[in-house]
Amino acid sequence: MLEHDSTLVERCLSGDQGAWGALVDRYSGLVYAVARKSRLPPEICDDVAQIVFATFARQLAGIRDRESLAGWFGVVARREAWRARRTRQTLAERESGLEIDPAEPHGRDEELLERAAEVRAAVAGLTSPCRELIQWMFFSDPAPDYAAVAAKLGIAVGSIGPTRRRCLARLLRVLEGAEPSKG
Amino acid sequence: MNGAPTPSSEQWETLAALSAGELSDAEAREWLRRAEGDPELARRIELARRTTAAMRAIATEPALWDVTAAQKSRLLGLNPVRPRSTLAALVDQVREVFAALVLDSRCGGQVMPGFRGAGRGRHLLYRSERLEVELRFDAAAGGLVSMTGQVHAAAPVRELRLVAAEGGAERVLPVDEAGLFDGQVASGVYELSLALADERVVIPSLDVSVEP
């Protein structure tokens, strides 16, 4: 079942060790995605992730909008990725003597990544077979054919289409907050 | 959520089909026409559209989202909330201090003269005001890490406590009269603590790992 971000933050503040792990599971992918989109090398992406989660740890009690933390993580990750990129550019300019244009912000990518983080969290909170079916059929390119998915799930090929539609509908309901993520 | 009527399961499935491009052109046009006079329906169609767009983004660049166990473990070590054992120690009014890393052979530091052992293991040295802890990590069977070391303190230390950052599992290693200890643990991030009579020395995020 998908636990709301605000619940995880409350649990975290009350000393529940597992809640921090759940928040790391939910948002580390987004933070790394933002850093990688900035074309930073892997070790700098690690640094950015460390800084973002250390900032989150420091500010945890004071974060006002706890309903969805995707926006918070997205903004802070972009800021830290931009700082890292600017630092690298400054060093490169000093070495080369050439002025390099600062990094362009990602624009429309930003909202898409944050939305993707929310979708990933919602899918992770679904139960079988919807969780696996959506991960296999929607998170891979190209998507596997129905026969392969049917074999993995142990259901008839003819059931895949209706199940896929039902699971996607379930996901939409969870994302709207219409129901818990049993599915 | 809002005060508008909740759509039925069938309506959600139709929205799912619409966003996945599975409706006929005529059906899709009809739904979009209805949405023009129904703001709630329009909002849900937009929700479905953004959701499928996000899933396509994930599918197009799945590697963007990969986080390895080691990367996750380091982030877990940033947990601002102390394990309950630490809170209990604070309640008992025992002073708590952090030990600082003085040397990590992985970072290119030279092993100090007289440091026990040699070979391919990883060596670390931590220091607080009243004690020093030498640590050595070697790869052990079954993917475990062999941890050996020595505590140098003016007062005796009887045990070394490890609390995993992930899951909070606790492990206690006895420390002998010479300050020596050893044990095998799973690689990961731990809080290591040593109890003196009136002080608890803590290494908050000890990365127990060796190079493969």
Side-chain angles (χ1 to χ4, degrees):
Chain A
M1 174 174 165
L2 181 69
E3 261 192 290
H4 289 294
D5 285 351
S6 55
T7 307
L8 288 174
V9 170
E10 290 300 325
R11 280 178 48 203
C12 204
L13 289 170
S14 67
D16 185 331
Q17 300 290 303
W20 178 259
L23 288 167
V24 168
D25 279 342
R26 188 169 292 182
Y27 289 113
S28 55
L30 171 62
V31 172
Y32 270 94
V34 169
R36 287 167 180 150
K37 273 279 186 187
S38 297
R39 298 188 298 280
L40 293 167
E43 67 275 15
I44 305 296
C45 291
D46 286 340
D47 290 346
V48 167
Q50 289 272 314
I51 292 168
V52 171
F53 274 90
T55 304
F56 180 63
R58 276 199 312 274
Q59 298 184 359
L60 188 60
I63 293 175
R64 277 177 288 182
D65 183 10
R66 297 176 180 173
E67 286 306 309
S68 173
L69 294 171
W72 189 95
F73 276 102
V75 166
V76 177
R78 278 195 299 280
R79 185 186 69 203
E80 294 305 330
W82 180 81
R83 279 184 182 162
R85 194 164 166 77
R86 190 182 57 174
T87 301
R88 288 170 57 79
Q89 284 173 337
T90 303
L91 292 173
E93 285 174 358
R94 281 182 191 160
E95 285 181 7
S96 66
L98 299 173
E99 192 170 323
I100 301 170
D101 286 339
E104 290 291 325
H106 310 310
R108 58 196 174 87
D109 279 352
E110 299 169 2
E111 189 197 347
L112 192 59
L113 287 177
E114 288 165 20
R115 184 67 186 164
E118 291 171 346
V119 171
R120 280 164 48 94
V123 171
L126 295 175
T127 52
S128 291
C130 282
R131 182 178 57 234
E132 292 80 7
L133 186 141
I134 289 179
Q135 286 171 341
W136 289 332
M137 300 200 73
F138 290 98
F139 289 0
S140 54
D141 185 24
D145 61 33
Y146 277 22
V149 176
K152 279 185 177 178
L153 291 177
I155 61 178
V157 174
S159 301
I160 292 294
T163 305
R164 177 180 183 270
R165 187 180 292 195
R166 182 174 58 80
C167 290
L168 188 52
R170 180 85 69 189
L171 174 65
L172 293 176
R173 295 180 73 162
V174 170
L175 285 167
E176 199 196 45
E179 67 168 32
S181 53
K182 61 185 179 184
Chain B
M1 292 287 285
N2 49 53
T6 305
S8 65
S9 296
E10 290 75 20
Q11 285 173 316
W12 277 114
E13 288 188 27
T14 305
L15 283 175
L18 176 66
S19 65
E22 294 172 351
L23 293 187
S24 68
D25 288 349
E27 285 176 309
R29 271 198 303 273
E30 171 59 18
W31 275 83
L32 294 174
R33 189 192 61 74
R34 284 171 54 186
E36 287 174 7
D38 184 344
E40 277 306 306
L41 178 60
R43 189 181 58 74
R44 291 192 172 105
I45 288 175
E46 177 62 12
L47 167 75
R49 188 197 63 75
R50 289 193 299 130
T51 300
T52 49
M55 291 197 292
R56 267 197 301 277
I58 294 168
T60 305
E61 295 183 280
L64 273 186
W65 300 84
D66 287 346
V67 183
T68 66
Q71 288 167 331
K72 202 167 279 186
S73 181
R74 282 193 289 273
L75 300 179
L76 289 170
L78 298 169
N79 188 350
V81 181
R82 297 280 171 73
R84 297 204 184 280
S85 59
T86 307
L87 291 173
L90 289 172
V91 169
D92 290 343
Q93 299 298 301
V94 174
R95 191 169 84 114
E96 180 179 285
V97 297
F98 285 178
L101 178 64
V102 177
L103 176 145
D104 182 347
S105 61
R106 180 185 282 176
C107 300
Q110 296 300 307
V111 177
M112 294 182 71
F115 198 88
R116 293 180 312 119
R120 295 166 53 83
R122 179 180 170 209
H123 303 82
L124 299 104
L125 177 65
Y126 282 88
R127 182 177 295 153
S128 73
E129 186 182 346
R130 290 167 63 184
L131 62 71
E132 281 187 356
V133 192
E134 295 174 10
L135 292 164
R136 175 179 168 134
F137 301 145
D138 291 284
L144 297 174
V145 176
S146 164
M147 186 169 99
T148 56
Q150 187 168 17
V151 181
H152 303 278
V157 174
R158 299 294 177 218
E159 63 183 29
L160 176 153
R161 199 169 287 270
L162 288 166
V163 178
E166 186 171 10
E170 192 168 274
R171 176 87 185 276
V172 176
L173 300 181
V175 179
D176 71 14
E177 289 181 356
L180 298 168
F181 58 87
D182 65 82
Q184 291 192 346
V185 296
S187 62
V189 176
Y190 292 84
E191 180 190 80
L192 182 154
S193 63
L194 297 153
L196 298 169
D198 59 347
E199 183 175 288
R200 186 168 174 274
V201 180
V202 177
I203 300 172
S205 294
L206 176 65
D207 174 18
V208 177
S209 63
V210 291
E211 295 298 336

